[in-house]
Amino acid sequence: MKSMSDRKGGNLRRERFRIWLISLPRSTKMIIALHADLVGLSFCTFASLWLALGQLEFWPKPILACLVATLVGVALIWAQGLYRSVVRYLGSAMYLAAARSAGGSALVGAALFFGTGMPIAETTRWALTFWFAAFLYICTSRQVAQWSLIRPRANVERERVIIYGAGQAGAQLAVSLLGA
């Protein structure tokens, strides 16, 4: 059983990591999210192919179609503005953007699979499976980021402060005030 000091140490490391992640520049956070989406959507395309066919057939055309569907998905996520969104303020519009991104990517992937000679029934099965997996991945990844990065407010009365300016110093001050 973990001792109290072990749990405090784990919480402290988690909190430091959270603050470090929050204090990263916006462009770095966007790059991290983009790479995570490349990996996550790649997994969704190949998992959907496996579920639709019952096996993975690694020949060049399906692999190329999976990679193109992944890249189209990331481009659509970018076009929907999900990389520019602040995780704290994601709301119901995120679900619509995720559905559009997953749907567009599924349509492009289905067209590519159909073009490689895959039967229409398997192509449709892949597209529906991929849409569901991609939608679930996009929504879940943003929700997990939101839950893990935002610390619940303590029931402590605090003095309200306005920080004027949006530079690096203002961001650092906000992070340090939130940690206090």
Side-chain angles (χ1 to χ4, degrees):
M1 191 144 154
K2 289 187 176 185
S3 68
M4 186 62 112
S5 62
D6 288 344
R7 279 186 260 164
K8 282 185 180 179
N11 289 340
L12 185 60
R13 281 191 297 274
R14 203 173 308 121
E15 182 65 16
R16 284 183 183 157
F17 178 73
R18 186 187 72 77
I19 290 172
W20 172 78
L21 206 55
I22 289 172
S23 66
L24 287 174
R26 187 179 194 118
S27 59
T28 305
K29 292 177 201 171
M30 287 172 60
I31 290 170
I32 291 170
L34 187 126
H35 282 90
D37 286 344
L38 281 171
V39 171
L41 288 177
S42 294
F43 177 77
C44 290
T45 57
F46 285 106
S48 299
L49 185 62
W50 177 70
L51 288 170
L53 299 177
Q55 63 181 3
L56 280 178
E57 296 180 15
F58 286 112
W59 36 286
K61 289 180 182 177
I63 291 175
L64 182 62
C66 284
L67 294 176
V68 170
T70 298
L71 294 175
V72 167
V74 169
L76 289 171
I77 291 170
W78 183 279
Q80 293 293 319
L82 288 177
Y83 292 121
R84 292 185 306 269
S85 300
V86 178
V87 173
R88 280 188 297 254
Y89 304 115
L90 287 176
S92 59
M94 185 256 314
Y95 297 106
L96 183 59
R100 287 180 185 156
S101 300
S105 182
L107 287 175
V108 169
L112 290 170
F113 279 123
F114 187 69
T116 64
M118 184 185 284
I120 189 75
E122 291 177 351
T123 302
T124 305
R125 227 180 3 237
W126 176 86
L128 291 173
T129 305
F130 173 73
W131 179 86
F132 181 73
F135 175 75
L136 196 63
Y137 164 75
I138 294 167
C139 293
T140 303
S141 64
R142 270 71 181 167
Q143 199 67 49
V144 166
Q146 187 177 41
W147 288 336
S148 61
L149 292 177
I150 297 175
R151 186 176 54 181
R153 292 183 172 253
N155 291 334
V156 177
E157 188 64 34
R158 294 184 178 189
E159 186 174 342
R160 293 178 178 253
V161 176
I162 295 176
I163 301 172
Y164 181 77
Q168 186 66 24
Q172 287 175 347
L173 177 60
V175 168
S176 66
L177 287 174
L178 286 172

